[in-house]
């Protein structure tokens, strides 16, 4: 288990040495291991993209209950309201995108590269919202004790978890490439090893 700054161990590093798998247990055709891996990754990205933390509605309540230097609720500040509007639009876009994917799954289809959109948006949204919330709560934002912190430490937990979500299932940079090439149809990056088997890729040794 890899210990994370959130206190959990959601990531693990596993090593297999001299493993042999019976052919009856093989998934996909011989030489199609990458295709099987891609399907697994697509499902993982779909799951990670559906990760939920403290959302815009919880932030709205916190902003309504938190006062600024003038004694007025922070919800009255235009900058806070603009942020809330942006997060609401992103959250609604994600919700509709997930519904679209769930409809496809119900028809027996496999999650496609569009699942990368949900993951990259939701992870960034979680990090941005949690960071703003912790800053807004001022000295209370550093409290991570669920018994004492606002929203039982939900904003703090999201802030600690979001960086990991931006790595799990493919980093932001990888997902942007996937979206550009496989969803938008833009020209791909030049890769000299694109059609070379991994075992044949030159190494530094």
């Amino acid at each position: 288990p890899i210990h994370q700054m959130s206190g959990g161990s959601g990531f693990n590093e596993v090593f297999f040495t001299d493993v042999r798998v019976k052919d009856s247990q093989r998934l996909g055709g011989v030489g199609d291991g990458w295709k099987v891996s891609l399907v697994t990754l697509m499902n993982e990205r779909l799951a990670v993209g559906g990760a939920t933390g403290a959302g815009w509605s919880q932030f709205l309540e916190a902003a309504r209950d938190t006062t600024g230097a003038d004694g007025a609720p922070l919800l009255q500040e235009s900058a806070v309201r603009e942020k809330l509007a942006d997060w609401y639009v992103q959250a609604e876009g994600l919700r509709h995108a997930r519904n679209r994917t769930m409809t496809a799954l119900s028809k027996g289809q496999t999650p496609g590269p569009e699942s990368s959109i949900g993951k990259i948006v939701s992870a960034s949204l979680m990090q941005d919202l949690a960071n703003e919330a912790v800053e807004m709560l001022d000295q209370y934002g550093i409290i991570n004790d669920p018994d004492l912190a606002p929203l039982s430490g939900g904003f703090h937990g999201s802030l600690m978890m979001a960086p990991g979500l931006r790595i799990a299932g493919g980093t932001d940079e990888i997902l942007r490439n996937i979206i550009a090439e496989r969803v938008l149809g833009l020209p791909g990056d030049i890769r000299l090893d694109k059609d070379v088997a991994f075992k044949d890729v030159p190494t530094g040794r």
Side-chain angles (χ1 to χ4, degrees), residues 38-200:
L38 278 180
V39 172
T40 303
L41 274 173
M42 295 299 180
N43 281 282
E44 181 183 6
R45 286 166 186 160
L46 178 62
V48 173
T52 57
W56 66 267
S57 58
Q58 286 79 22
F59 186 98
L60 185 149
E61 291 300 322
R64 182 177 285 143
D65 298 335
T66 305
T67 56
D70 59 356
L74 289 176
L75 187 58
Q76 294 182 12
E77 295 188 5
S78 59
V80 172
R81 297 169 77 91
E82 286 177 14
K83 277 283 189 182
L84 272 166
D86 286 342
W87 295 330
Y88 172 78
V89 170
Q90 291 180 53
E92 284 298 288
L94 284 171
R95 184 171 68 85
H96 290 300
R98 287 191 199 107
N99 288 341
R100 185 178 178 182
T101 302
M102 295 305 291
T103 299
L105 288 172
S106 70
K107 296 178 180 178
Q109 300 175 13
T110 300
E114 66 277 359
S115 297
S116 300
I117 299 173
K119 179 191 173 307
I120 197 171
V121 172
S122 62
S124 298
L125 171 61
M126 179 186 288
Q127 188 169 22
D128 184 36
L129 192 152
N131 183 67
E132 289 289 335
V134 168
E135 291 289 336
M136 177 183 70
L137 294 171
D138 199 21
Q139 70 267 29
Y140 299 105
I142 64 174
I143 301 174
N144 67 352
D145 186 336
D147 294 329
L148 301 174
L151 201 66
S152 300
F155 292 124
H156 193 279
S158 292
L159 186 63
M160 296 293 103
M161 184 170 62
L165 290 183
R166 298 184 69 172
I167 298 171
T171 63
D172 289 359
E173 292 76 14
I174 288 174
L175 297 184
R176 287 192 179 99
N177 273 349
I178 291 173
I179 294 167
E181 295 177 22
R182 301 181 192 174
V183 178
L184 301 177
L186 298 176
D189 285 342
I190 297 175
R191 300 198 301 269
L192 299 178
D193 61 353
K194 185 173 182 178
D195 297 317
V196 179
F198 183 76
K199 64 182 179 62
D200 298 326

